[in-house]
Each structure stands twice: as structure tokens, then as C-alpha cells.
Amino acid sequence: MATQLATNYADLALFIGGEWLSPEGRTTSPVINPATEEVIGQVPHASTADLDRALRAAEQGFRTWRAVFPDERGRILKRAAELLREHKEAIARIATVESGKVIHETRIEVMMSANIFEWYAEEGRRAYGRVLPQRTPGTRMTIVKEPVGPVAAFAPWNFPLGNPARKIGAALGAGCSVILKPAEETPASGLAVAKCLVDAGLPPNALAIVYGVPAEISTHLLASPIIRAISFTGSIPVGKHLAKLAADGMKRTTMELGGHAPVVVFDDVDLERVLDLSAVAKFRNAGQVCVSPTRYYVQEKIYNRFVDGFAERAKGWPVGNGLEEKNKMGPLVHARRLAAIEGFIADAKQQGARVAAGGRRLASPGYFYAPTVLSDVPNSARVMNEEPFGPVAVINPFSDFDAVIEQANRLPYGLAAFAFTNSSHTLKLVGERLEAGMVGLNTYQISIPESPFGGVKESGHGSEEGIEGLEACLVTKFISEA
Ligand code: NAD
């Protein structure tokens, strides 16, 4: 189907019990290309009966899949990684057409998804337990790691391939079955990832892909005793809501929620280099990235030059349809995001912020918003408090180390934080003081398959990828033999 999907976008389906279930006879919702505003497909919604079928399949699939030895599970995940790479171009185009993200980034995302499958393929073989020293001769005390059980996973649209790959990879690598609800905005990407796994030989019931009204699906799945763990990526309010539902069944949770990453730039840096890195990091996926740098705190001496340099880059940033190679930024994913960004900017302006670049919607059709730079933004502005999730860099000056750390840590978010300085002493201090699950020092690179990805404070708990990602899908059992 991966190849087929590339030429026939409208071929959307649910995947339950090893069957691709068509939209026929089901409620559907339109999928829109955000670069053109054209309806490109109809995504089928799972009925209650479909969800119950997915739950039964997951229960059965768990029994089948946990009995497959980790070595063989790994072989299937590795084969799926190969298929992803083989179909890189077709899958990248699907992701670009439905998410708006530029093709250069979706190609990277296909490769990243393949790397994630390979990581879990290997890591699943290392779900080690331990043996305790005896207290009495003839006894044995062992600790083993077992798969937690069927997992319900919810993946958003901003990494339409990478988010599903992370969630499916962790569950399957640990020996769990998984029901995944990718975002309704980007359904074909999730299906393309699933298709690679099916073609790689995954047993039919180990994975289900469902779509529908998100709140209805999560309520139904989380109420079932079959589901033993939840993995969610999305906003903090939805994460809190799902955590409450999970508490009723005492289900394990991995919550990768929003961020509002501070970036502290000291005046001893190579300014042009930091600006070049910052523009790429900020405008990646039009800023719709949970670890996107959002609040820049720049030391006074270089503040004006930093604002001007960022604005200059923003004004020249090539924006347009993500399928065109020349473009470095596509549209926002849907009309709601566009309205949200317009609201943030209007509020900031009203509160006295200066618009150094952008600050307006670009010509339609398409949900395009200009790369935007705001300076001198008061803490009372909404954009200083709520995750903007758009192509907006907010820049404010600082003079004092302790004061800037206080500002950086001011919000309840704690996902990513960054700092740039040529002083190794300052770097060490700032790294220790920033409150975040991931800290980039002189770099924006904070995500590779072997590193844990997750937040602290209200940005969530638990990690994806790294050894921690597998651990989230495992439970600990102590066996005492006499
Ligand atoms: P939204 O809250 O409608 O949707 C965000 C994601 O959560 C979607 O994938 C959606 O399907 C899912 N979702 C929403 N309600 C759900 C529920 N009750 N049960 C299960 N899943 C549910 O918002 P949106 O307009 O699409 O995005 C807005 C905000 O979401 C952003 O400002 C950002 O804070 C957050 N977001 C975060 C990430 C991330 O990587 N952490 C990704 C996408 C969106």
C-alpha cells in the first residue's frame, strides 16, 4: 500500500485485525492539503464496534507477539526500517502533502523513523533482568522484565511519520501489541508506516490503526481493561485529561506534552553562526515542533544585532508549497493554527511588542504565515506564556545571569532548553540550572534514537527512545524460588 498510497492518496483505511477497512459505510472526515486547501481524501472513523474489534485483536495480538522471541521481533522491525528507506520518496511526499512540511524535512523524517525501528529492534534484545545473591542455599531470586500489555497510543500531526514510529517501535520492541490513533489531519503517513510493518511480516493483531473523533476514541480505549499503558504526544490540557482517564484503570502513562523552549544567548558567541542555526531550528516545520526554540534571551551587548540578524533571515526565508525543493518552510497544518498564531501576534502587538519581521498571514490559498520575529515582548503577552507552536521567534534582552535563568525557568513547561556561549564555565552552570528534560548547549540537536526524549514539570513524564523508551513498555516481576 505504501507505493499505492503515493499515487492514489484517497486510499485511506483503518487497519484492524490484519485487515484494511475502507471508508465505505463509515463516517468520514476530509483530509486537507494545507498548502492548497484542497480536500485530498476522506479518513474513515472507527465505530464503537471497530474499536471493540481493535481491542479484542490487541488482546490476542499481545499473546501472539510476546511469545515471539526478541531476536525475531527485531528482524521484523529491521525489515520494516528497510522498507521505509526503500519507499523514502513516496512516503515523504505523502507526509508533505497532508502536513505541509517541506519535502526536505519529510525525507529526513522517513530516515529518522527507520532509525527508530532499528533502535528498538536492537534494544528489545536487551530487556535484561537480574539475579539476586542468595540468602539461603538452593534458592533463586530473579527479576525479569515483561511487556506491560496492549498499549493505546495517540500521535499528533507535526511528525506524521516520526511520532507513529516512536510509539509503535517502543511497544513492538518490548513485545506489546499497540492500537495507534495517528492524527486525522495526517492519516496516510501513519498508514504508510503500518504498511511497512505488515509487509515486513508483523503478525496481524500486533498493530491496529484507528481514526475518528480523538476524545471519543481515547475515552473508549482507556476505559477498557485490555489496555495497560498509554502513550500520548500533544498539548498539556489534553495530556492532563488523558492522565485522569488513565488513573481510573491505573494504566501506565508516557506523556510527551508541549514546550516553550528558552534559548539563552551570551555575548561571547559567534553571532552569525548562532543566528544561522537559530533560523533553521525556529522555522523547521513552521515552528510546529514541541522542542522549537521560542523565547530568546539575548545578552544586552549583542541584542540589537541579534534581533536585526534574525529579522533579516526571516524576511528572506523561502516559504511555499512543501513539494517544491526550493522552499524551506511550508504552511501551518490547519486553519485553527493559523487563527491561533494571528491571535498571539495581535495580543503581543497590543501589549507593546515590536514586530521585527513577518507578523502577517501570507497569500492564500494555503495556511501560510510569514516567518515572524518579535522583540521587546512583555511577560504579560500570551506568546510569553502559552506554547506558540508556529513560526514565531520572541526575543528579549538580559543582563544578569541569575535573572535570565529565572526567566528561562519561569513557566510550567520543561521540555527543551538551549544556551549558547563560548565560555565552558558558563555552559556548565547554565546546563545545571535550566529546568528541562532536554538541554542543548551550543546546539539544537537534542533528539537521536538512543537519547531519551521527554519533559519535566507540566511538559509531561516518561521518555520516548533511549533505553527509557523501551522501559516505558516493560513491567518488573520478581520471582522467588525455594
Ligand atoms: P488539538 O489539541 O486539537 O490536537 C493535538 C493532538 O492531540 C492531535 O493529534 C489530536 O488528535 C490529539 N487529541 C486532542 N484531543 C484528544 C483526546 N481527547 N484524546 C486523544 N487525543 C486527542 O490541537 P491542535 O490545534 O491540533 O494543536 C494545538 C496544540 O497541540 C499545539 O499548540 C501544541 O501545544 C499541541 N501539540 C503538541 C505536539 C507535541 O509534539 N507535543 C504536537 C501537536 C500538537
Side-chain angles (χ1 to χ4, degrees):
M1 185 180 276
T3 355
Q4 208 183 328
L5 279 168
T7 50
N8 180 11
Y9 180 82
D11 193 8
L12 296 171
L14 304 171
F15 179 67
I16 301 175
E19 281 181 56
W20 303 95
L21 305 172
S22 80
E24 221 176 283
R26 292 184 167 80
T27 307
T28 61
S29 55
V31 182
I32 293 170
N33 178 340
T36 62
E37 297 184 43
E38 282 166 341
V39 174
I40 51 173
Q42 294 290 334
V43 60
H45 288 201
S47 64
T48 306
D50 288 327
L51 293 178
D52 285 336
R53 191 174 158 200
L55 284 164
R56 284 194 302 276
E59 189 175 34
Q60 207 192 347
F62 177 52
R63 282 198 291 271
T64 314
W65 185 240
R66 74 176 298 179
V68 175
F69 290 116
D71 188 39
E72 176 56 18
R73 282 187 221 140
R75 255 196 290 279
I76 292 171
L77 281 168
K78 282 182 190 170
R79 176 74 189 123
E82 277 170 29
L83 289 171
L84 277 166
R85 292 195 184 107
E86 228 168 83
H87 296 285
K88 178 172 99 173
E89 196 57 30
I91 296 175
R93 286 181 75 84
I94 289 171
T96 289
V97 164
E98 59 183 14
S99 75
K101 185 184 280 198
V102 293
I103 189 87
H104 167 66
E105 289 183 28
T106 52
R107 284 185 192 125
I108 293 173
E109 203 179 322
V110 177
M111 303 309 269
M112 163 190 142
S113 304
N115 294 344
I116 290 171
F117 279 174
E118 273 175 357
W119 167 256
Y120 283 116
E122 286 299 324
E123 208 49 27
R125 290 149 45 121
R126 290 189 274 274
Y128 302 132
R130 62 189 194 273
V131 180
L132 300 187
Q134 286 179 327
R135 284 186 165 234
T136 327
T139 62
R140 187 162 50 190
M141 292 177 289
T142 38
I143 292 148
V144 292
K145 297 283 181 180
E146 296 183 343
V148 60
V151 176
F154 304 89
W157 40 261
N158 61 336
F159 284 84
L161 303 160
N163 283 326
R166 271 183 177 164
K167 297 194 184 300
I168 297 172
L172 294 182
C176 300
S177 56
V178 53
I179 303 176
L180 174 76
K181 190 199 81 58
E184 286 65 29
E185 290 86 350
T186 56
S189 300
L191 290 176
V193 172
K195 177 68 177 142
C196 290
L197 284 156
V198 173
D199 288 352
L202 188 73
N205 288 335
L207 170 68
I209 305 282
V210 296
Y211 297 98
V213 176
E216 289 174 12
I217 295 190
S218 54
T219 305
H220 195 84
L221 295 183
L222 268 60
S224 167
I226 291 170
I227 297 300
R228 292 310 326 149
I230 291 137
S231 179
F232 173 73
T233 299
S235 67
I236 291 177
V238 175
K240 286 181 178 175
H241 168 68
L242 294 184
K244 284 175 195 155
L245 294 183
D248 281 341
M250 204 47 81
K251 299 173 203 291
R252 288 264 289 271
T253 53
T254 301
M255 292 287 170
E256 201 275 272
L257 308 177
H260 205 317
V263 187
V264 184
V265 184
F266 292 89
D267 61 13
D268 59 356
V269 294
D270 173 345
L271 190 63
E272 295 303 313
R273 179 180 166 270
V274 176
L275 281 166
D276 285 344
L277 292 177
S278 296
V280 171
K282 179 66 255 179
F283 301 129
R284 177 164 82 113
N285 196 19
Q288 302 167 116
V289 177
C290 53
V291 295
S292 181
T294 49
R295 290 174 292 141
Y296 280 85
Y297 296 102
V298 180
Q299 208 160 5
E300 274 170 343
K301 204 170 93 186
I302 57 165
Y303 177 67
N304 287 335
R305 279 194 291 144
F306 191 88
V307 173
D308 292 347
F310 217 135
E312 191 189 312
R313 282 162 179 80
K315 286 174 188 164
W317 211 251
V319 182
N321 192 317
L323 286 178
E324 289 173 37
E325 301 280 347
K326 68 174 167 53
N327 290 327
K328 285 162 85 174
M329 192 179 105
L332 299 173
V333 72
H334 48 47
R336 295 199 309 281
R337 278 271 29 88
L338 197 57
I341 299 302
E342 285 179 324
F344 278 122
I345 303 300
D347 169 77
K349 272 160 69 173
Q350 207 231 327
Q351 304 221 29
R354 185 170 81 83
V355 181
R360 65 197 161 84
R361 184 180 179 170
L362 293 174
S364 55
Y367 307 129
F368 295 99
Y369 198 87
T372 296
V373 177
L374 298 179
S375 64
D376 306 293
V377 191
N379 271 351
S380 56
R382 277 182 50 220
V383 74
M384 289 300 286
N385 299 284
E386 299 167 37
E387 181 177 32
F389 228 63
V392 185
V394 177
I395 313 178
N396 280 332
F398 80 89
S399 53
D400 175 71
F401 182 86
D402 286 327
V404 77
I405 295 294
E406 195 183 316
Q407 286 302 310
N409 293 335
R410 182 177 69 86
L411 298 180
Y413 296 93
L415 191 61
F418 306 91
F420 290 84
T421 169
N422 274 338
S423 154
S424 57
H425 179 64
T426 309
L427 211 59
K428 201 158 61 210
L429 288 182
V430 79
E432 282 169 12
R433 298 273 301 276
L434 288 172
E435 294 170 358
M438 293 164 284
V439 177
L441 300 177
N442 288 335
T443 180
Y444 286 107
Q445 176 52 267
I446 51 167
S447 172
I448 51 171
E450 50 271 43
S451 67
F453 190 99
V456 297
K457 296 161 78 176
E458 292 198 16
S459 288
H461 55 242
S463 300
E464 300 191 272
E465 303 179 59
I467 54 175
E468 291 83 355
L470 192 83
E471 193 66 39
C473 295
L474 296 170
V475 285
T476 304
K477 183 190 274 182
F478 173 54
I479 304 173
S480 178
E481 299 169 55

